[in-house]
Amino acid sequence: RTLLRGMKGVKHKPQLIVQWIESTIVCAVESGVLSHVPAAIMSRTFQELSNGLAAYARAERLVQVPVPFPLVQLVHFLLGVWCVIMPLIMVEHVRSTKMAGILSFVSILGMYGVNRICTVMETPFGRNPHDLPLVEYQERVNAMLTELLIGLEHEVALDEEEIQRITHAMSMGVKAREIAAQSAAGVQMRWWIEED
Protein backbone atom coordinates (compact mmCIF):
# COMPACT_ATOMS: atom_id res chain seq x y z
CA ARG A 1 0.00 0.00 0.00
CA THR A 2 2.90 2.35 0.67
CA LEU A 3 4.13 1.79 -2.88
CA LEU A 4 0.70 2.60 -4.29
CA ARG A 5 0.44 5.75 -2.16
CA GLY A 6 3.89 6.79 -3.34
CA MET A 7 2.76 6.51 -6.96
CA LYS A 8 0.47 9.53 -6.66
CA GLY A 9 3.29 11.89 -7.63
CA VAL A 10 4.76 9.63 -10.31
CA LYS A 11 4.26 10.95 -13.84
CA HIS A 12 4.95 7.75 -15.80
CA LYS A 13 3.06 5.07 -13.86
CA PRO A 14 2.83 2.40 -16.60
CA GLN A 15 6.59 2.47 -17.18
CA LEU A 16 7.19 2.16 -13.44
CA ILE A 17 4.82 -0.79 -13.09
CA VAL A 18 6.43 -2.58 -16.05
CA GLN A 19 9.81 -2.01 -14.38
CA TRP A 20 8.46 -3.55 -11.15
CA ILE A 21 7.15 -6.56 -13.04
CA GLU A 22 10.45 -7.04 -14.89
CA SER A 23 12.45 -6.68 -11.66
CA THR A 24 10.22 -9.22 -9.92
CA ILE A 25 10.67 -11.68 -12.77
CA VAL A 26 14.45 -11.24 -12.77
CA CYS A 27 14.61 -11.71 -9.01
CA ALA A 28 12.40 -14.79 -9.26
CA VAL A 29 14.72 -16.25 -11.90
CA GLU A 30 17.83 -15.48 -9.84
CA SER A 31 16.33 -16.99 -6.69
CA GLY A 32 15.34 -20.17 -8.49
CA VAL A 33 11.58 -19.72 -8.28
CA LEU A 34 11.36 -19.54 -12.07
CA SER A 35 14.50 -21.53 -12.86
CA HIS A 36 12.48 -24.30 -14.53
CA VAL A 37 11.05 -21.89 -17.13
CA PRO A 38 12.92 -22.10 -20.46
CA ALA A 39 14.88 -19.03 -21.55
CA ALA A 40 12.79 -18.66 -24.70
CA ILE A 41 9.62 -18.33 -22.63
CA MET A 42 11.23 -15.77 -20.33
CA SER A 43 12.48 -13.82 -23.33
CA ARG A 44 8.98 -13.84 -24.81
CA THR A 45 7.60 -12.56 -21.51
CA PHE A 46 9.89 -9.53 -21.60
CA GLN A 47 9.07 -9.01 -25.28
CA GLU A 48 5.33 -8.98 -24.57
CA LEU A 49 5.81 -6.49 -21.72
CA SER A 50 7.78 -4.30 -24.10
CA ASN A 51 5.09 -4.62 -26.80
CA GLY A 52 2.44 -3.60 -24.27
CA LEU A 53 4.42 -0.54 -23.27
CA ALA A 54 4.92 0.38 -26.94
CA ALA A 55 1.16 0.06 -27.56
CA TYR A 56 0.53 2.28 -24.54
CA ALA A 57 2.92 4.89 -25.97
CA ARG A 58 1.07 4.83 -29.31
CA ALA A 59 -2.28 5.25 -27.56
CA GLU A 60 -0.88 8.09 -25.47
CA ARG A 61 0.31 9.78 -28.65
CA LEU A 62 -3.28 9.71 -29.98
CA VAL A 63 -4.38 11.75 -27.00
CA GLN A 64 -1.47 14.17 -26.92
CA VAL A 65 -1.23 15.04 -30.63
CA PRO A 66 -4.31 17.01 -31.70
CA VAL A 67 -5.65 17.25 -35.23
CA PRO A 68 -3.95 20.25 -36.88
CA PHE A 69 -6.02 23.41 -36.56
CA PRO A 70 -5.71 24.37 -40.27
CA LEU A 71 -7.14 20.96 -41.24
CA VAL A 72 -10.13 21.51 -38.95
CA GLN A 73 -10.71 24.96 -40.45
CA LEU A 74 -10.44 23.60 -44.00
CA VAL A 75 -12.98 20.86 -43.27
CA HIS A 76 -15.43 23.40 -41.80
CA PHE A 77 -14.96 25.72 -44.81
CA LEU A 78 -15.54 22.86 -47.27
CA LEU A 79 -18.67 21.80 -45.38
CA GLY A 80 -19.96 25.36 -45.71
CA VAL A 81 -19.25 25.32 -49.45
CA TRP A 82 -21.00 21.91 -49.66
CA CYS A 83 -24.08 23.41 -47.99
CA VAL A 84 -24.26 26.20 -50.59
CA ILE A 85 -23.40 24.23 -53.72
CA MET A 86 -25.29 20.96 -53.06
CA PRO A 87 -28.82 22.49 -53.28
CA LEU A 88 -27.85 24.23 -56.55
CA ILE A 89 -26.56 20.97 -58.02
CA MET A 90 -29.67 19.08 -56.89
CA VAL A 91 -32.03 21.65 -58.40
CA GLU A 92 -30.13 21.40 -61.68
CA HIS A 93 -30.20 17.59 -61.86
CA VAL A 94 -33.49 16.66 -60.17
CA ARG A 95 -36.82 17.69 -61.72
CA SER A 96 -38.83 17.87 -58.49
CA THR A 97 -38.05 20.78 -56.18
CA LYS A 98 -39.21 18.78 -53.14
CA MET A 99 -36.94 15.87 -54.06
CA ALA A 100 -34.02 18.26 -54.59
CA GLY A 101 -34.58 19.71 -51.12
CA ILE A 102 -34.82 16.27 -49.51
CA LEU A 103 -31.70 14.96 -51.28
CA SER A 104 -29.76 18.13 -50.42
CA PHE A 105 -30.79 17.87 -46.76
CA VAL A 106 -29.83 14.17 -46.53
CA SER A 107 -26.43 14.65 -48.20
CA ILE A 108 -25.58 17.70 -46.08
CA LEU A 109 -26.74 15.95 -42.90
CA GLY A 110 -24.62 12.93 -43.88
CA MET A 111 -21.49 15.04 -44.37
CA TYR A 112 -21.97 16.84 -41.05
CA GLY A 113 -22.63 13.47 -39.38
CA VAL A 114 -19.37 12.05 -40.73
CA ASN A 115 -17.55 15.17 -39.52
CA ARG A 116 -19.08 14.80 -36.06
CA ILE A 117 -18.13 11.12 -35.87
CA CYS A 118 -14.54 12.00 -36.81
CA THR A 119 -14.48 14.65 -34.09
CA VAL A 120 -15.64 12.11 -31.49
CA MET A 121 -13.10 9.55 -32.71
CA GLU A 122 -10.25 12.04 -32.23
CA THR A 123 -10.37 11.39 -28.48
CA PRO A 124 -11.26 7.73 -27.86
CA PHE A 125 -10.09 7.73 -24.24
CA GLY A 126 -12.43 9.20 -21.69
CA ARG A 127 -15.68 8.58 -19.88
CA ASN A 128 -18.17 9.54 -22.59
CA PRO A 129 -20.65 6.89 -23.77
CA HIS A 130 -18.93 6.54 -27.15
CA ASP A 131 -15.37 6.22 -25.82
CA LEU A 132 -13.48 2.97 -25.45
CA PRO A 133 -14.55 1.05 -22.32
CA LEU A 134 -11.10 1.17 -20.69
CA VAL A 135 -12.41 0.41 -17.20
CA GLU A 136 -14.10 -2.77 -18.47
CA TYR A 137 -10.91 -3.79 -20.30
CA GLN A 138 -8.87 -3.31 -17.12
CA GLU A 139 -11.41 -5.29 -15.06
CA ARG A 140 -11.13 -8.18 -17.57
CA VAL A 141 -7.33 -8.13 -17.37
CA ASN A 142 -7.49 -8.08 -13.57
CA ALA A 143 -9.93 -11.02 -13.57
CA MET A 144 -7.61 -13.02 -15.86
CA LEU A 145 -4.61 -12.28 -13.63
CA THR A 146 -6.59 -13.30 -10.55
CA GLU A 147 -7.53 -16.60 -12.21
CA LEU A 148 -3.88 -17.18 -13.05
CA LEU A 149 -2.87 -16.57 -9.44
CA ILE A 150 -5.58 -18.93 -8.19
CA GLY A 151 -4.29 -21.57 -10.60
CA LEU A 152 -0.76 -20.94 -9.37
CA GLU A 153 -1.78 -21.64 -5.75
CA HIS A 154 -2.76 -25.16 -6.72
CA GLU A 155 0.54 -25.84 -8.46
CA VAL A 156 2.82 -24.56 -5.70
CA ALA A 157 3.40 -26.94 -2.81
CA LEU A 158 3.35 -24.40 0.05
CA ASP A 159 1.35 -24.15 3.21
CA GLU A 160 -1.12 -21.28 3.66
CA GLU A 161 1.18 -19.32 6.00
CA GLU A 162 4.01 -19.36 3.47
CA ILE A 163 1.71 -18.20 0.66
CA GLN A 164 0.49 -15.29 2.80
CA ARG A 165 4.07 -14.34 3.70
CA ILE A 166 5.15 -14.33 0.06
CA THR A 167 2.04 -12.42 -1.04
CA HIS A 168 2.57 -9.83 1.67
CA ALA A 169 6.26 -9.46 0.86
CA MET A 170 5.55 -9.06 -2.85
CA SER A 171 2.94 -6.40 -2.13
CA MET A 172 5.50 -4.51 -0.06
CA GLY A 173 8.04 -4.65 -2.88
CA VAL A 174 10.48 -7.09 -1.29
CA LYS A 175 12.68 -8.91 -3.81
CA ALA A 176 12.24 -12.62 -4.40
CA ARG A 177 15.67 -13.55 -3.02
CA GLU A 178 14.85 -11.74 0.23
CA ILE A 179 11.59 -13.67 0.39
CA ALA A 180 13.50 -16.93 0.09
CA ALA A 181 15.88 -15.83 2.88
CA GLN A 182 12.95 -14.95 5.16
CA SER A 183 11.24 -18.26 4.47
CA ALA A 184 10.73 -20.26 7.67
CA ALA A 185 13.00 -23.32 7.95
CA GLY A 186 14.15 -22.90 4.35
CA VAL A 187 10.87 -24.10 2.85
CA GLN A 188 11.45 -24.57 -0.87
CA MET A 189 8.88 -24.08 -3.55
CA ARG A 190 8.30 -27.38 -5.23
CA TRP A 191 6.66 -27.29 -8.62
CA TRP A 192 4.94 -30.49 -9.53
CA ILE A 193 3.61 -31.85 -12.76
CA GLU A 194 0.81 -34.35 -12.76
CA GLU A 195 1.82 -37.40 -14.71
CA ASP A 196 -0.72 -39.48 -16.57
Side-chain angles (χ1 to χ4, degrees):
R1 292 180 188 228
T2 21
L3 286 174
L4 294 177
R5 282 190 206 117
M7 283 187 67
K8 286 186 180 178
V10 175
K11 191 174 183 180
H12 304 286
K13 291 178 180 130
Q15 290 85 349
L16 178 64
I17 291 172
V18 167
Q19 178 63 36
W20 285 351
I21 293 169
E22 289 175 348
S23 297
T24 304
I25 291 171
V26 168
C27 290
V29 169
E30 288 177 354
S31 68
V33 172
L34 295 177
S35 62
H36 69 287
V37 178
I41 303 283
M42 293 307 298
S43 172
R44 182 66 179 194
T45 302
F46 286 109
Q47 181 182 3
E48 288 300 321
L49 284 169
S50 176
N51 289 345
L53 207 51
Y56 173 79
R58 285 192 301 273
E60 192 175 40
R61 214 174 315 130
L62 273 176
V63 173
Q64 292 176 347
V65 179
V67 175
F69 183 70
L71 178 64
V72 172
Q73 293 303 313
L74 179 64
V75 167
H76 284 289
F77 172 74
L78 291 175
L79 280 174
V81 170
W82 182 268
C83 287
V84 172
I85 292 178
M86 184 49 66
L88 299 175
I89 292 173
M90 286 296 173
V91 166
E92 184 69 31
H93 291 288
V94 178
R95 291 184 185 187
S96 169
T97 310
K98 280 184 178 181
M99 195 61 166
I102 290 171
L103 289 175
S104 294
F105 176 76
V106 168
S107 67
I108 291 170
L109 181 67
M111 294 301 277
Y112 271 99
V114 168
N115 183 47
R116 180 66 184 136
I117 290 170
C118 291
T119 304
V120 169
M121 288 177 64
E122 284 177 20
T123 55
F125 310 112
R127 300 202 185 274
N128 296 328
H130 302 293
D131 290 337
L132 293 174
L134 297 179
V135 173
E136 292 173 19
Y137 292 162
Q138 185 63 50
E139 287 173 355
R140 272 192 248 151
V141 168
N142 290 347
M144 288 187 319
L145 290 174
T146 303
E147 287 176 9
L148 288 173
L149 287 175
I150 290 170
L152 181 66
E153 279 181 13
H154 299 293
E155 294 180 14
V156 178
L158 293 174
D159 60 354
E160 186 63 34
E161 180 183 327
E162 194 66 20
I163 289 174
Q164 287 178 354
R165 179 180 295 156
I166 290 171
T167 305
H168 176 70
M170 292 300 276
S171 69
M172 299 305 289
V174 179
K175 294 182 179 177
R177 68 177 85 119
E178 294 171 344
I179 295 170
Q182 294 170 359
S183 176
V187 174
Q188 295 180 350
M189 290 187 180
R190 294 180 303 277
W191 295 84
W192 55 274
I193 301 174
E194 288 185 9
E195 297 179 10
D196 293 3

